Amino acid sequence: MIKALILDLDGVICDTAHFHYIAWKRLASEYDYELSEADNEALKGVSRVDSLILILQWAKKEISPEQFEQDLLRKNSWYLDMVEEMVPKDLLPGVGSFVESAHKLQIPLALGSASKNAQTVLTKVGLLDAFQTIVDASQISRSKPDPETFTTAAELLGVAPNECIVFEDSLAGIQAALSGGMRAIGIGKPSDLPGAELHINNLGEYNFADFQ
Ligand code: B16
Ligand code: MG
């Protein structure tokens, strides 16, 4: 029996996945590397540090540990400049009605995000109070595709992993949900998100009549 829904943030609740892409693309260009949409797909759901390690590998570039830290900070400040402009109408289609339906049906909602900026983003789009539990990068030690983000959310909600459905836009996130023993719905194309039991374009397409 399904008792709770766990939502990823970037790419599921708002289009911050696109902001991450713009910021990483800008940094990659400094390494003379053109970050493609396909590269970006592989970065979705991946932590900030692991993302930079991957980009440096693709660019065949070595930088000092000091430069690495500085570049992480610069990427994050470009990202936050874009987040700063966000308002509640920047929620992806159907998010408002999805949250409303879950609340009406008294289905607990958790957030399970790899982002250290999750609370800032939720505040900007007016959803900070929508979740019973918020798990972000500050509470976990192993990032997606490790299931820790989602299993921590389930534990905090007091439900078993197989009583949860995870909504994810990233391959790393779908893998995290499945290896945590949860069900997974992909927000995106089946070709980008193999393994998900259902694919929808946005949360608005989820039919609560199918909940069980
Ligand atoms: P930050 P999610 C993930 O968030 C993003 O998909 C990924 O692109 C980003 O690198 C990661 O958060 C870390 O984000 O730099 O803000 O700490 O999709 O798990 O909500
Ligand atoms: Mg995401």
Side-chain angles (χ1 to χ4, degrees):
M1 181 170 158
I2 297 303
K3 291 192 179 156
L5 304 177
I6 305 178
L7 308 189
D8 171 54
L9 174 66
D10 296 328
V12 170
I13 290 177
C14 43
D15 200 11
T16 33
H18 184 61
F19 295 164
H20 282 297
Y21 179 43
I22 294 173
W24 283 129
K25 202 173 166 62
R26 178 170 170 187
L27 189 64
S29 74
E30 293 183 10
Y31 308 143
D32 298 318
Y33 183 73
E34 194 177 330
L35 197 76
S36 68
E37 297 265 1
D39 293 336
N40 188 52
E41 215 45 59
L43 296 181
K44 285 183 181 173
V46 175
S47 73
R48 200 182 308 169
V49 167
D50 289 347
S51 297
L52 184 50
I53 291 172
L54 276 173
I55 291 168
L56 289 166
Q57 278 171 9
W58 295 334
K60 298 185 178 43
K61 178 99 184 165
E62 279 182 26
I63 58 177
S64 67
E66 295 74 26
Q67 185 69 49
F68 188 95
E69 287 308 317
Q70 231 182 62
D71 287 357
L72 285 179
L73 285 174
R74 286 192 308 135
K75 181 267 170 181
N76 195 50
S77 86
W78 299 331
Y79 172 72
L80 285 176
D81 284 346
M82 291 179 268
V83 167
E84 185 52 36
E85 303 298 317
M86 290 182 86
V87 291
K89 75 167 180 40
D90 290 323
L91 288 174
L92 283 168
V95 177
S97 59
F98 180 98
V99 168
E100 233 173 72
S101 301
H103 286 174
K104 225 182 266 170
L105 295 166
Q106 297 186 309
I107 303 165
L109 291 180
L111 186 92
S113 170
S115 174
K116 290 185 175 158
N117 297 302
Q119 303 246 359
T120 308
V121 172
L122 284 179
T123 305
K124 294 299 288 183
V125 295
L127 274 195
L128 194 60
D129 297 329
F131 299 91
Q132 270 84 341
T133 293
I134 294 176
V135 177
D136 63 25
S138 66
Q139 286 136 281
I140 53 131
S141 49
R142 297 179 305 275
S143 51
K144 302 170 189 176
D146 187 284
E148 190 186 3
T149 303
F150 298 137
T151 51
T152 304
E155 248 167 62
L156 291 170
L157 287 175
V159 298
N162 64 2
E163 294 172 328
C164 300
I165 302 178
V166 172
F167 292 78
E168 255 292 347
D169 72 317
S170 72
L171 185 55
I174 296 286
Q175 289 166 344
L178 296 179
S179 68
M182 298 171 178
R183 305 201 10 209
I185 293 184
I187 307 287
K189 292 187 261 168
S191 53
D192 288 333
L193 304 171
E197 66 179 73
L198 173 76
H199 296 85
I200 52 180
N201 291 310
N202 56 59
L203 289 180
E205 290 182 6
Y206 182 64
N207 185 354
F208 274 86
D210 296 340
F211 178 56
Q212 287 306 339

